[in-house]
Amino acid sequence: MDAQVLSKRTMAEQVADLLRQRILSGALPAGTPIRQEPLAAELGISRIPLREALKQLEAEGFVTIASHKGATVAPLSVAEIEELFQLRLRLETWMLGLALPRLAEADFAALDQLIAEQRAPDSLPRWGELNWRFHEVMYRPADRPLTLKMLKRIHDNIDRYLRLEISLSAGRNRAYREHEDLLAHCRKGDVAVALDLLERHIQQTANSLIDHLRARETAVAAD
Amino acid sequence: MDAQVLSKRTMAEQVADLLRQRILSGALPAGTPIRQEPLAAELGISRIPLREALKQLEAEGFVTIASHKGATVAPLSVAEIEELFQLRLRLETWMLGLALPRLAEADFAALDQLIAEQRAPDSLPRWGELNWRFHEVMYRPADRPLTLKMLKRIHDNIDRYLRLEISLSAGRNRAYREHEDLLAHCRKGDVAVALDLLERHIQQTANSLIDHLRARETAVAAD
DNA sequence: GTTTTGTAGATTGTATACAATATTCATTTA
DNA sequence: TAAATGAATATTGTATACAATCTACAAAAC
């Protein structure tokens, strides 16, 4: 039996999950104001649990709350996105270095499976989730749960911007190839090469996203 | 005029600050259950803003909330404290490397001032704050605001345990000497030595705290 | 015409009241 | 005696109602 399913979840928790999904999926893009009364009415609840959900999402970096003014979907500046990628670089190379010697055959099999799922034709809406799970499986043996939680938060915040760019499929195919390459070298236990590939993978992702965002920025400014 | 002072702060914010202070000062030690009704009554408010404050503190890592069971001051395991120190090591050496070439004379003066304050006889209750400000001034020129915020959170969570050990004054004096040493080499612009000293400073702090905690743990277990 | 002021409406913040869940402890049963 | 049951109590979760604050726009002052 799954305890999560059985345990009565609170309204605030369910609402937080729902809104998080809407933000990650792009249904609520950055900057969207969140009015409490209409949203609570739509969800059929009062504003109290909604406010608690918003506080939770604020802590996760998805929402900005200004006293007496309300909540909006948090925008990330290009500088902040760059910083998040730099954090990923530092933390993930550390984690992979710790985890690599402890990766077992079951982990490699799971990673193969995830790459296959990512390549499936209808996987696009689950791209962010599958991408994170790939990285998570690699880092979990490092046995650093707080760091892993931090990394998930960083990934999620990046992903809602990456989504725009990854739908173009060119970057997506590159990411899959890099995952395969990285996995192959992890299997061989080639630590130095694996860390180098991971570093480049993160760098590449950062560069293509930031180029894309800068292009959009100037396009918007030219309007 | 200071906008912060003028802006009307919400009850939830004030309560969060108050509780955070009580937790950091040790007035509310780890594991203490937080009952909403009595606490709200003591503060002269309703449970609604108190609940929002608790949600905020949960996000900051100071409080654990279990549905329908209530909130407690979050305990940190020795393993989690070790992980937090390892995160500090990675993030702070990175930050100092970025910041060092950009540290100006005004920064060095501020750091001198902070060491002097730390050495003042009545500074013990402000130890955590002064210690963080010393590190913060060093890292701020790195211009990585998200990382800086993350580090503050880590420092605060460590500090409420460090407080127990630092009151013994032996470790405190060691910390001050290490700060002075580190500052001297930063002034000289000696990057390699400064990074090495910072690394050792964090390691030393971690070791003495963890030894202390392990000793207490076995002492308690022997009860 | 521009800026300032003031008021009405919209929106958030919080108190109160009630519902849902968990805990405690006396009672029963094996 | 020990485990199981269940009602009484305590505690948290949420709806409703009201207070405080902000926003937008019209009127007044310069």
Side-chain angles (χ1 to χ4, degrees):
Chain A
M1 289 205 288
D2 192 339
Q4 281 300 72
V5 171
L6 289 185
S7 82
K8 326 257 171 182
R9 306 190 58 230
T10 176
M11 281 297 164
E13 287 166 350
Q14 296 181 53
V15 171
D17 288 349
L18 179 71
L19 290 180
R20 191 185 300 106
Q21 197 181 349
R22 287 192 184 175
I23 293 171
L24 288 177
S25 73
L28 291 176
T32 308
I34 300 178
R35 292 282 95 90
Q36 296 173 8
E37 191 92 41
L39 183 51
E42 177 200 330
L43 302 177
I45 58 171
S46 82
R47 283 167 49 227
I48 303 291
L50 172 56
R51 286 173 63 86
E52 295 193 1
L54 289 173
K55 206 103 194 26
Q56 172 73 34
L57 293 172
E58 183 190 32
E60 293 173 14
F62 298 125
V63 155
T64 306
I65 301 178
S67 322
H68 299 287
K69 291 192 174 182
T72 57
V73 180
L76 286 178
S77 67
V78 173
E80 286 171 325
I81 291 175
E82 280 187 292
E83 190 180 345
L84 291 180
F85 272 109
Q86 291 168 354
L87 276 167
R88 276 192 59 185
L89 198 59
R90 254 96 206 150
L91 296 178
E92 294 190 29
T93 51
W94 174 47
M95 292 286 270
L96 184 58
L98 289 171
L100 229 168
R102 312 171 75 173
L103 278 170
E105 190 44 45
D107 299 316
F108 292 126
L111 291 167
D112 280 331
Q113 171 68 25
L114 282 167
I115 288 180
E117 279 187 59
Q118 286 175 333
R119 284 201 178 279
D122 58 344
S123 70
L124 189 54
R126 297 201 304 145
W127 186 86
E129 183 207 335
L130 291 172
N131 184 55
W132 165 246
R133 279 175 54 197
F134 180 83
H135 287 261
E136 186 198 19
V137 170
M138 291 190 107
Y139 308 144
R140 187 167 289 281
D143 193 28
R144 295 294 187 282
L146 301 176
T147 311
L148 203 61
K149 202 170 289 182
M150 219 176 260
L151 277 174
K152 168 151 181 58
R153 197 162 285 186
I154 294 174
H155 269 256
D156 280 348
N157 268 289
I158 287 177
D159 282 356
R160 62 198 170 105
Y161 285 89
L162 211 48
R163 161 168 309 279
L164 300 170
E165 200 248 334
I166 215 67
S167 62
L168 298 180
S169 95
R172 198 160 71 250
N173 284 327
R174 182 182 49 64
Y176 298 158
R177 275 200 308 279
E178 286 172 5
H179 283 178
E180 282 167 353
D181 211 12
L182 177 55
L183 175 53
H185 285 278
C186 286
R187 261 207 166 94
K188 285 198 286 183
D190 197 339
V191 181
V193 175
L195 291 182
D196 189 57
L197 285 175
L198 176 59
E199 180 164 343
R200 284 198 217 166
H201 171 53
I202 296 174
Q203 280 292 8
Q204 300 263 23
T205 312
N207 289 340
S208 72
L209 173 58
I210 288 168
D211 286 352
H212 189 81
L213 290 175
R214 288 243 167 78
R216 280 175 53 92
E217 242 177 24
T218 55
V220 169
D223 267 359
Chain B
M1 289 208 287
D2 193 338
Q4 283 299 75
V5 172
L6 288 185
S7 81
K8 327 255 173 184
R9 304 190 59 232
T10 175
M11 280 298 164
E13 287 167 348
Q14 295 181 53
V15 170
D17 288 349
L18 179 71
L19 291 180
R20 191 185 300 107
Q21 197 181 348
R22 286 192 184 175
I23 292 171
L24 287 177
S25 74
L28 291 176
T32 309
I34 299 177
R35 292 280 96 92
Q36 296 174 6
E37 191 93 41
L39 182 51
E42 176 200 329
L43 302 177
I45 59 169
S46 80
R47 284 168 46 225
I48 303 291
L50 171 56
R51 287 174 62 86
E52 295 192 2
L54 290 174
K55 205 101 193 27
Q56 173 72 33
L57 294 173
E58 183 191 34
E60 292 173 13
F62 299 125
V63 155
T64 306
I65 301 179
S67 321
H68 299 287
K69 292 195 173 179
T72 57
V73 180
L76 286 179
S77 68
V78 173
E80 287 171 325
I81 292 176
E82 280 188 291
E83 189 180 346
L84 290 181
F85 272 109
Q86 291 168 352
L87 277 167
R88 276 191 59 186
L89 198 59
R90 253 99 207 147
L91 296 178
E92 294 190 28
T93 51
W94 174 47
M95 292 286 270
L96 184 58
L98 289 171
L100 229 168
R102 311 171 76 173
L103 278 170
E105 189 44 45
D107 299 317
F108 292 126
L111 291 167
D112 280 330
Q113 171 69 25
L114 281 166
I115 288 180
E117 280 188 61
Q118 286 175 334
R119 284 204 178 277
D122 57 345
S123 70
L124 188 54
R126 296 202 303 146
W127 185 86
E129 183 206 336
L130 290 172
N131 184 55
W132 165 244
R133 278 174 53 198
F134 180 85
H135 288 260
E136 184 198 19
V137 170
M138 290 189 108
Y139 307 143
R140 187 168 290 280
D143 192 29
R144 295 294 188 282
L146 301 176
T147 311
L148 202 62
K149 202 170 289 182
M150 220 175 260
L151 277 174
K152 169 152 180 55
R153 195 162 288 186
I154 293 174
H155 269 256
D156 281 347
N157 269 289
I158 287 177
D159 282 356
R160 61 198 172 105
Y161 285 88
L162 210 49
R163 161 169 310 278
L164 300 170
E165 200 248 333
I166 215 68
S167 62
L168 298 180
S169 96
R172 198 160 70 250
N173 283 328
R174 182 182 49 64
Y176 298 157
R177 276 199 308 278
E178 287 171 4
H179 281 178
E180 281 167 354
D181 212 11
L182 177 55
L183 175 52
H185 285 276
C186 287
R187 260 207 167 95
K188 285 198 286 184
D190 197 339
V191 181
V193 175
L195 291 183
D196 190 56
L197 285 176
L198 176 59
E199 180 164 343
R200 285 198 216 164
H201 171 53
I202 296 175
Q203 279 291 7
Q204 300 263 22
T205 312
N207 289 340
S208 72
L209 172 57
I210 287 168
D211 286 353
H212 188 81
L213 289 175
R214 287 244 168 78
R216 280 175 52 93
E217 242 177 23
T218 55
V220 169
D223 266 1

